[in-house]
Amino acid sequence: MSQILEEVLTANAAYASSFDPGELPMPPARHFAILTCMDARLDPAKYAGLSEGDAHVIRNAGGRASDDAIRSLVISYKLLGTREWFVIHHTDCGMETFTDEVMRGLLASSLKTSSVDATGWHDSGDGPGSTEGNYIDWLTIGNNAASVIEDVSRIRDHPLVPNEIPIYGYIYDVRSGELVEVPDATRAGAARN
Ligand SMILES: [Zn+2]
């Protein structure tokens, strides 16, 4: 068994042994959802004060409003009753360190893990790679505030998203732990009556 697998299963056994089975209902008790980045330094339960059963947390690389993130958000309100949404990107996001072109080149070169230094990303070249990366929009981030505005606006304008759900735009600061509002995003995401 891999060390990680063993660690995870041991941790789970400890968690389950003291688990309070209290019957939590499926719909989030506090009726909101957060779309945020998968970055390991972000813990939405801690930065937003969540307990089990409180809220939906949808995560992907960058916290971007991809079609699949919107799929989850639509299920979140339509079937599970959330009424307010947050889009939360963060400082020092890995998605700011490359472009589609860079990612496609790295993948075409090999499927090994690439390395990064001050001059950018480098691949081992120890192929084979694949050109399948050319068909994926990697949703990289050029400017953090702009990407929050773009994602909030895309969700706001989506035909499956009702006007009355407010969408708030924030950037989490990985150095201070603070959520910093992107006012233009929150404005763009305001409920429309
Ligand atoms: Zn990130």
Side-chain angles (χ1 to χ4, degrees), residues 30-34 73 76-77 81-86 164-168:
R30 295 172 61 199
H31 309 289
F32 74 100
I34 294 173
L73 287 169
S76 177
Y77 89 81
T82 59
R83 298 194 286 262
E84 296 175 68
W85 294 347
F86 292 75
E164 60 266 26
I165 294 180
I167 309 158
Y168 315 120

Side-chain angles (χ1 to χ4, degrees), residues 66-113:
S66 61
D67 287 349
D68 193 64
I70 289 173
R71 176 185 70 88
S72 294
L73 287 169
V74 169
I75 290 169
S76 177
Y77 89 81
K78 183 71 178 174
L79 302 182
L80 295 162
T82 59
R83 298 194 286 262
E84 296 175 68
W85 294 347
F86 292 75
V87 172
I88 303 177
H89 295 179
H90 65 98
T91 60
D92 197 36
C93 186
M95 299 297 281
E96 300 171 84
T97 68
F98 66 98
T99 60
D100 275 353
E101 192 183 0
V102 167
M103 185 60 162
R104 289 166 181 167
L106 295 170
L107 287 164
S109 169
S110 88
L111 302 186
K112 301 278 166 58
T113 297

Side-chain angles (χ1 to χ4, degrees), residues 37-39 41-42 60-63 89-95 141:
C37 185
M38 69 183 188
D39 191 293
R41 296 167 292 181
L42 274 57
N60 63 32
H89 295 179
H90 65 98
T91 60
D92 197 36
C93 186
M95 299 297 281
I141 293 175

